[in-house]
Amino acid sequence: MSRKGKILTGIGIALFLALVVWAVRSVPGAPPAQQDTDPSHVMSYDGNTISEEKNGRKIWELTADHIEMDMDTKNASMTGITGHFYEDDGRVVDVTAQKASYDAQTKNVTIEGGIAITTSDGAALKSDQLLWTADDETLTAKGNAYVAKDDMQASGGSISSSNGFKKIEIDDHVYIVKGDMQATGDKLESDDGIEKIRLIGHAHITKG
C-alpha cells in the first residue's frame, strides 16, 4: 500500500472510532426511577349505616345520606346524619346533624353542623359540636352548648355526660334557669338530670 493509501486508511479508522465514541456518549441514560405512589382508596356509599358494639351491645349507630370511607385507614366522613347512642338503662340519645367523621383508630366520632339532640327521657340539647370519646364512653356537646328539660334551661361552653345526659357536667360561663331560680357559676354538676345541682366557682343564685 502506498504511503498516501496508508494515510487515508488511518484517517478513516480515526473517524470511525470518533463516531463510535460519539454514539456511546449520545445514548440517553435510563430515566430516574419514579416513586411508586399508592393513592388512597376511597369507597362511597349512599344511605348507609355504621355502628359500634361493645360486649355484644350496640353502643351507637350513625345513618348518613352519603358516606366516604378510606379503605386503608377505615376512617369515614359522612353527611346528612341521623344518629342514636344507646345507654345501659335503655335510654337513647337521638342526634341529627349536617356531617360527621369517624376515626377508626380511636373509635371517636365528631358530629357538626345544625346539631339537634334529644333524649328518650325528655331532654333537648344544641351545640356547635357533639363529640363521642370511646375510651370513657362520653358524649360532649361543645361550643354554645344548651340543654332544656321540663322547667329547666342551662347553657355553657360544654355539656358532657357518660350516661346519656342524665348525669352531666356543664363548664365555662354556666347559666341556668329552673322555675323561679336563676344561677351562674364556673361549673355545674348534676347526677339526676338537673333535679339537684351543684354550682362550683363564683356561684351566684337568685330566687323569686
Side-chain angles (χ1 to χ4, degrees), residues 10-177:
I11 293 173
I13 292 172
L15 289 173
F16 174 75
L17 292 174
L19 180 62
V20 170
V21 171
W22 174 84
V24 170
R25 290 182 176 178
S26 299
V27 174
Q34 295 184 354
Q35 186 174 1
D36 184 16
T37 58
D38 184 15
S40 177
H41 302 100
V42 177
M43 296 292 290
S44 296
Y45 309 89
D46 288 330
N48 212 326
T49 299
I50 65 172
S51 62
E52 192 75 40
E53 293 186 0
K54 184 176 181 180
N55 298 325
R57 180 180 70 86
K58 185 178 289 185
I59 301 173
W60 58 261
E61 64 181 359
L62 295 177
T63 300
D65 293 340
H66 183 74
I67 300 176
E68 291 190 352
M69 179 173 287
D70 187 314
M71 301 308 292
D72 296 326
T73 64
K74 306 305 181 186
N75 294 341
S77 60
M78 296 157 273
T79 57
I81 304 301
T82 300
H84 310 285
F85 294 82
Y86 301 98
E87 300 304 320
D88 287 333
D89 59 6
R91 290 178 303 110
V92 181
V93 177
D94 298 318
V95 183
T96 59
Q98 295 172 0
K99 60 183 180 178
S101 60
Y102 169 69
D103 188 312
Q105 183 174 2
T106 62
K107 301 186 185 301
N108 294 345
V109 178
T110 302
I111 301 173
E112 299 177 293
I115 294 173
I117 307 163
T118 57
T119 68
S120 57
D121 57 350
L125 299 93
K126 292 182 178 180
S127 62
D128 296 335
Q129 280 187 334
L130 180 65
L131 309 176
W132 167 260
T133 306
D135 281 347
D136 53 11
E137 297 186 14
T138 298
L139 279 169
T140 302
K142 189 174 183 180
N144 298 308
Y146 169 86
V147 58
K149 184 180 180 184
D150 300 329
D151 65 342
M152 180 279 303
Q153 300 176 63
S155 62
S158 67
I159 302 173
S160 60
S161 175
S162 58
N163 69 343
F165 296 108
K166 185 173 183 180
K167 179 180 180 179
I168 68 171
E169 293 184 1
I170 305 178
D171 289 299
D172 189 16
H173 298 95
V174 175
Y175 176 72
I176 179 171
V177 177

Side-chain angles (χ1 to χ4, degrees), residues 147 152 154 166 168 170 176 178 190 192-197:
V147 58
M152 180 279 303
K166 185 173 183 180
I168 68 171
I170 305 178
I176 179 171
K178 184 175 175 63
S190 176
D192 56 6
I194 315 190
E195 292 298 320
K196 298 178 182 179
I197 64 171

